[in-house]
């Protein structure tokens, strides 16, 4: 956790964070909760599961879990497989 | 010998488990699964496409989890850690569903199982409350280890994944069956209907396949053939086959009461 960077950012210029979703970088102008991030990625209503930094974010916690700068998220679905 | 096929306390009618990969489209997937009579279907867990249209068809619509028992797999995982993470995601995705197929691969060429990682993953998954059906080598010692760790089904390969080479070592499959008290399901290697029948005749409790059906010229027809082969093999196993003899000198028709031999040809 890099508190200094977050503190400086909030003081000197609008907070901009970057998260990695399924291996791709997404820049967010402010921290979002997982539900809002899912909505922004146009995945709302889709049957998905979310892992954040290696830990499951349960559906019940999507609205209360904030994503932070540098977070790595995996958003998965079920597909055909053997 | 019981007729029931029970996995983790739930009884199934069909002993054929079907993978849902490699089909032309979801319509064909559904048609093949229906023709196979399978009640358990394997699925993979993969990253969703970001920016994909919301109306994109999904596997869960084609094969409703209310109708089929989903068996999420860890295909493509090469470490215990990745396999465990994948199945945690699967459980979250499928609302707490805990019946899973563990497979940890050793290399991308053979897709042969990495048994040390498989054992480590099985231990962790059982600890976390998963019901683990485990893809493994046809080694009776490690099959027993997996049973002792608390797995619910042992699933040795018959030959390499996607090879269609059939039951290459029936003797080892037999040793695995003898080594464990759990259901033994041949997973991988079946190429055509006779392979499935052979697995069942050996005394396997079930067969899991994907490519043999999906890569057939007519997958739906092959799915039907596999259903019949698994049923026929099971019936033959229960019936108990006759012993093999090189020759018997015991013809099926009566030896007595034959008509008199022709004089002209008689010696």
């Amino acid at each position: 956790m890099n508190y200094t960077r977050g503190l400086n950012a909030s003081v000197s210029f609008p907070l901009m964070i970057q998260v990695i979703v399924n291996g791709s970088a997404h820049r967010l102008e402010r921290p979002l909760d997982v539900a809002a991030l899912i909505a922004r990625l146009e995945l709302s209503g889709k049957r998905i599961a979310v892992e954040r930094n290696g830990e499951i974010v349960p559906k019940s916690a999507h609205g209360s879990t904030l994503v932070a700068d540098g977070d790595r998220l995996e958003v998965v679905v079920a597909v055909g497989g053997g | 010998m019981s007729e029931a096929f029970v996995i983790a306390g739930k009884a199934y009618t069909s002993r054929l488990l079907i993978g849902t990969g490699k089909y032309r489209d979801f319509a064909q997937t559904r048609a093949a699964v229906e023709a196979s009579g399978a009640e358990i279907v394997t699925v993979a867990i993969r990253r969703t496409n970001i920016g994909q249209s919301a109306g994109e068809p999904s596997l869960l619509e084609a094969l409703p989890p209310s109708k089929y028992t989903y068996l999420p797999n860890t295909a493509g995982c090469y470490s215990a850690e990745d396999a465990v993470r994948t199945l945690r995601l699967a459980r979250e995705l499928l609302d707490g569903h805990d019946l899973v197929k563990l497979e940890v691969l050793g290399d991308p060429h053979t897709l042969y199982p990495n048994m040390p990682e498989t054992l480590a993953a099985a231990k962790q998954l059982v600890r976390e409350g998963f019901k683990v059906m485990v893809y493994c080598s046809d080694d009776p010692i490690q099959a027993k280890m997996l049973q002792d760790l608390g797995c619910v089904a042992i699933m040795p390969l018959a030959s390499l994944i996607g090879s269609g080479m059939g039951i290459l070592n029936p003797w080892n499959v037999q040793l695995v069956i003898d080594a464990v008290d759990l259901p033994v399901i041949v997973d991988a290697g079946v190429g055509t209907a006779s392979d499935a029948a052979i697995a069942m005749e050996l005394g396997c409790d079930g067969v899991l396949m994907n490519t043999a059906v999906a890569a057939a010229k007519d997958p739906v027809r092959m799915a039907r053939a596999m259903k019949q082969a698994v049923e026929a093999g099971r019936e033959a196993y229960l019936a108990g086959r006759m012993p093999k003899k090189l020759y018997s000198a015991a013809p099926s028709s009566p030896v007595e009461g034959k008509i008199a031999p022709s004089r002209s040809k008689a010696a």
Side-chain angles (χ1 to χ4, degrees):
Chain A
M1 203 70 81
N2 188 339
Y3 292 103
T4 320
R5 190 160 132 216
L7 201 63
N8 287 344
S10 63
V11 171
S12 55
F13 48 86
L15 188 63
M16 192 74 159
I17 68 167
Q18 178 172 285
V19 297
I20 310 292
V21 183
N22 289 354
S24 300
H26 292 260
R27 294 184 74 80
L28 308 171
E29 54 284 358
R30 62 190 170 81
L32 298 176
D33 61 44
V34 170
L37 179 63
I38 289 168
R40 171 186 287 233
L41 298 172
E42 296 175 11
L43 296 171
S44 297
K46 244 187 128 171
R47 193 146 172 185
I48 54 167
V50 179
E51 181 199 69
R52 173 171 165 264
N53 300 332
E55 304 285 339
I56 297 293
V57 183
K59 285 177 197 78
S60 57
H62 283 190
S64 56
T65 305
L66 285 180
V67 292
D69 190 39
D71 277 359
R72 306 185 76 86
L73 291 104
E74 297 287 346
V75 184
V76 302
V77 292
V79 302
Chain B
M1 189 54 60
S2 164
E3 281 296 311
F5 178 43
V6 179
I7 297 174
K10 187 175 171 191
Y12 299 89
T13 308
S14 171
R15 292 171 179 270
L16 175 56
L17 294 75
I18 286 276
T20 57
K22 300 184 185 172
Y23 291 95
R24 190 179 60 221
D25 51 32
F26 286 142
Q28 190 184 57
T29 311
R30 180 168 48 202
V33 170
E34 278 174 5
S36 77
E39 296 161 287
I40 301 176
V41 296
T42 64
V43 300
I45 303 298
R46 289 291 178 272
R47 286 172 163 175
T48 187
N49 292 325
I50 308 282
Q52 179 189 328
S53 67
E56 200 89 355
S58 93
L59 182 69
L60 289 104
E61 287 158 18
L63 298 171
S66 55
K67 191 172 169 194
Y68 296 97
T69 297
Y70 268 42
L71 191 60
N73 70 24
T74 59
C77 289
Y78 290 87
S79 71
E81 191 185 354
D82 287 352
V84 170
R85 282 175 57 209
T86 298
L87 292 176
R88 287 177 187 147
L89 279 163
R91 180 158 66 179
E92 165 66 15
L93 180 72
L94 299 170
D95 303 322
H97 174 86
D98 54 12
L99 185 70
V100 296
K101 170 179 162 178
L102 169 65
E103 62 177 288
V104 186
L105 304 176
D107 75 59
H109 308 292
T110 63
L111 305 177
Y112 201 84
N114 178 328
M115 291 307 296
E117 291 293 309
T118 300
L119 287 157
K123 191 173 183 181
Q124 180 63 27
L125 289 165
V126 170
R127 187 183 298 148
E128 294 184 20
F130 287 93
K131 293 166 184 145
V132 182
M133 302 175 69
V134 55
Y135 168 66
C136 54
S137 61
D138 60 358
D139 170 353
I141 305 304
Q142 297 192 90
K144 180 69 164 49
M145 289 175 179
L146 289 165
Q147 170 174 285
D148 292 345
L149 285 174
C151 293
V152 300
I154 303 298
M155 306 206 290
L157 77 175
S159 48
L160 297 179
I161 292 176
S163 70
M165 292 285 284
I167 318 293
L168 292 188
N169 195 339
W171 306 109
N172 263 48
V173 173
Q174 189 79 65
L175 287 174
V176 170
I177 292 168
D178 290 351
V180 300
D181 303 317
L182 295 171
V184 174
I185 297 166
V186 155
D187 179 4
V190 165
T192 190
S194 51
D195 299 332
I198 288 168
M200 296 307 294
E201 286 170 10
L202 285 170
C204 288
D205 297 280
V207 181
L208 196 165
M209 64 181 74
N210 191 154
T211 311
V213 173
K217 282 181 188 158
D218 183 342
V220 177
R221 192 163 205 156
M222 186 59 89
R224 198 157 50 236
M226 291 300 186
K227 176 182 196 283
Q228 293 165 349
V230 168
E231 288 170 0
R234 178 67 183 171
E235 282 292 286
Y237 170 71
L238 292 175
R241 63 153 298 145
M242 64 165 283
K244 284 182 184 177
K245 287 168 283 187
L246 188 55
Y247 56 89
S248 73
S252 300
S253 302
V255 178
E256 301 300 318
K258 292 190 290 182
I259 60 170
S262 305
R263 287 179 185 281
S264 58
K265 293 283 166 69

